[in-house]
Amino acid sequence: MMSGGYTSIDNQKVSGSVPAVSDPSHVAVKFTDSNLQTFPPSGAQGKISGGTQPPHDADDTFSKPAGGSQPGSGEPQGSGWFRTFTIAAYKPYFDVDTSDIIDRLKESLFPFRGTFTEKTATNPDLYGPFWICTTLIFVAASIGTFVTYIAHKLKKKEWDYDINLVTWSAGVFYGYVTVVPLILYVILKYFSAPSGLVQLFCLYGYSLFVFIPALCLSVVPLEIFRWVIAGVAGFMSATFVALNLKAHINSAGERWFLIVTGIFLLQLALAVVLKLYLFTVTV
Amino acid sequence: MALRDWDLWGPFFFIVFLGLTLSWSASVKKSEVFAVAFALLAAGAVILTLNVLLLGGHIVFFQSLSLLGYCLFPLDVGALICMMENNVILKMIVVCVTLAWSSWAAYPFMSSAVNLSRKALALYPVFLMYVSVGFLTIAID
């Protein structure tokens, strides 16, 4: 609503905050003029009664800072920490096709190439690690169950299904792929050779792929054969992680050898633990 | 189409029924068997749906949960039959048939939801979940 105060501005069409420019050389002067005109003296501003009441809509546009005058600007996507709980935050890590996944799986079977980290540096994915772990849990539980079943039936003993195999292997695999890369990430940051956390998850996830065929082969009831399989699989997996990491952290100084050896032994230990728990059958 | 009228009562009933059947069939640790079966199926349905969404597929979250739950019906029937039978070979045949039926029911929905180049990535977890449930059905006696 326009008040009498506006009519004293000389001949300008005041629309919003930009006055109509009729004379370019006088723009600046006229603009400050119009500002002064729309704010009556502060004494009268608070009073509702009286001659010049500031027009409400003009007051809104002139008195509020620029941000308030754009109600339609839209919000950015939520506040900072909420974003970790949206799906959109994780979509970039699942941007892979079937052929990519198959390529990476094949890559993990050849530990001595050491090119895995280069290939996944720009597009690490979390699909592979998660589903490899889940498949491993299922394979480990079923093979472990099958092995004890056969052993009991061969000796004509009673056998009951042990559901704890499922929960135990879930804990081991998910825990290993989650906790070890986290610790490694912290250690690498400490030694100033930082690697992306998702790349580490990716590396560890794919390194477990070789255990799937190894577990399937371990059904053969020869003890020495099982140890050989466990050893070979553990060695391949550990070499995969160690060589791919070594290429990355060579710049960390003299500590790299310790770190790489540590990871290597840890992966071997995982293989041994698997073999002992799943395939030690006491009938 | 019928998918728009999704509901969660059906899936809830089927999951609980499957858990109960497996729990009845178990001779030891009955409550743990029920807990694992229920958790596996419920969490599995949610994770499968999230998997499709993350791969860039276009599905509605609850529609997918509803469909995956209803597709458990053949496995329910299979579990019921296996509870009453004791022959391992027969159990394997029954489970294989019902598993194929469940997968065949869930396949069109899942495969149409994602890009053609990622179809296998979306379908494999469905297959994995049904196979693991089938395995539980055979193993528990």
Side-chain angles (χ1 to χ4, degrees), chain A residues 11 109 117 122 175 177 213 235 239-240 246 251 255 263:
Chain A
N11 218 3
L109 292 175
T117 34
T122 48
V177 172
F235 181 75
T239 322
F240 177 73
K246 169 172 170 275
S251 52
R255 297 294 196 122
I263 308 174

Side-chain angles (χ1 to χ4, degrees), chain B residues 86-124:
Chain B
N86 257 331
N87 188 352
V88 175
I89 304 288
L90 187 66
K91 282 210 268 190
M92 288 217 276
I93 296 177
V94 165
V95 164
C96 282
V97 166
T98 54
L99 198 138
W101 183 2
S102 276
S103 310
W104 175 78
Y107 175 84
F109 175 71
M110 280 295 179
S111 65
S112 62
V114 276
N115 220 345
L116 198 59
S117 56
R118 300 184 181 183
K119 205 166 73 162
L121 296 185
L123 287 174
Y124 168 71

Side-chain angles (χ1 to χ4, degrees), chain A residues 217-229 275:
Chain A
L217 280 177
S218 298
V219 184
V220 175
L222 282 175
E223 193 62 23
I224 190 72
F225 184 69
R226 285 182 185 162
W227 274 112
V228 165
I229 292 280
K275 156 76 183 74

